[in-house]
């Protein structure tokens, strides 16, 4: 069975009560012909409890300290992975790779801007720099072929 993440357990704890939890514990011990009806009844009780809870206490499911922070995509992917099929996991990995590439592009763009401010003559062809290689050429030389391709794709956009 798949492991529950802490967010799933917190959600389940928040939107249930002891009465519902007792019914869940008893479910495997109930006559097999009644289990289906009992499972539906348990889900109904959870829904009713959740609706009542929101009527009494309208609140958001979000930590107050995270309101200003950007969500950690990699953490979210790690929490989703146990609930994904193999194909979905591969898709998450591709999306994660795309996010990493975008972050790398942003970092490289910032580095290039900073380097060009520090060394404004870099990239200009003159007697000290006859090849005319720019800071971008220097940084691009440090990338793998895959990273170069992704960087160029983002640069065009």
């Amino acid at each position: 069975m798949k492991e529950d993440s802490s967010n799933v357990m917190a959600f389940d704890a928040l939107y249930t009560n002891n009465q519902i939890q007792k019914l869940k514990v008893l479910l495997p011990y109930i006559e097999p012909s009644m289990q289906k009806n009992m499972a539906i009844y348990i889900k109904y009780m959870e829904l009713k409890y959740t609706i009542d809870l929101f009527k009494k206490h309208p609140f958001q499911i979000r930590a107050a300290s995270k309101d200003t922070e950007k969500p950690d995509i990699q953490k979210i992917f790690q929490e989703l992975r146990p609930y994904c099929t193999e194909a979905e996991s591969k898709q998450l990995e591709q999306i994660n790779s795309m996010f990493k590439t975008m972050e790398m592009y942003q970092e490289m763009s910032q580095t290039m801007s900073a380097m060009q401010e520090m060394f404004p003559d870099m990239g200009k062809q003159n007697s000290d720099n006859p090849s005319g290689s720019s800071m971008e050429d220097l940084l691009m030389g440090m990338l793998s072929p895959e990273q170069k391709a992704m960087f160029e794709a983002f640069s065009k956009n």
Side-chain angles (χ1 to χ4, degrees), residues 92-107:
L92 280 179
E93 190 56 44
Q94 288 174 338
I95 294 168
N96 190 25
S97 177
M98 216 168 43
F99 274 108
K100 285 179 184 177
T101 302
M102 285 190 299
E103 286 175 8
M104 182 190 69
Y105 173 76
Q106 289 172 340
E107 289 172 11

Side-chain angles (χ1 to χ4, degrees), residues 52-105:
D52 290 343
L53 186 67
F54 272 114
K55 284 180 181 176
K56 292 177 188 172
H57 310 283
F59 55 86
Q60 293 181 347
I61 307 171
R62 189 164 203 207
S65 64
K66 294 184 180 180
D67 284 341
T68 57
E69 293 178 20
K70 185 169 85 167
D72 182 354
I73 299 296
Q74 294 193 10
K75 182 179 181 221
I76 293 170
F77 288 166
Q78 288 301 94
E79 290 177 3
L80 286 173
R81 187 162 275 125
Y83 304 100
C84 293
T85 64
E86 188 176 327
E88 291 169 333
S89 288
K90 286 179 183 178
Q91 287 175 332
L92 280 179
E93 190 56 44
Q94 288 174 338
I95 294 168
N96 190 25
S97 177
M98 216 168 43
F99 274 108
K100 285 179 184 177
T101 302
M102 285 190 299
E103 286 175 8
M104 182 190 69
Y105 173 76

Side-chain angles (χ1 to χ4, degrees), residues 7-51:
N7 286 343
V8 172
M9 290 189 301
F11 178 88
D12 286 345
L14 184 61
Y15 296 106
T16 193
N17 60 25
N18 287 346
Q19 182 67 28
I20 295 168
Q21 296 298 60
K22 287 187 255 181
L23 292 173
K24 288 179 182 181
V25 169
L26 294 173
L27 183 63
Y29 302 104
I30 293 175
E31 189 68 33
S33 63
M34 294 295 296
Q35 286 179 355
K36 179 180 175 182
N37 292 332
M38 181 61 98
I40 293 169
Y41 178 71
I42 290 169
K43 289 300 178 184
Y44 167 76
M45 294 294 292
E46 285 180 321
L47 176 62
K48 185 177 178 324
Y49 181 81
T50 302
I51 291 170

Side-chain angles (χ1 to χ4, degrees), residues 116 119-126 129 131-137:
Q116 286 173 345
F119 307 104
D121 292 335
M122 186 102 174
K124 294 180 182 173
Q125 195 163 11
N126 58 35
N129 187 9
S131 68
S133 61
S134 68
M135 190 57 59
E136 184 176 349
D137 293 337

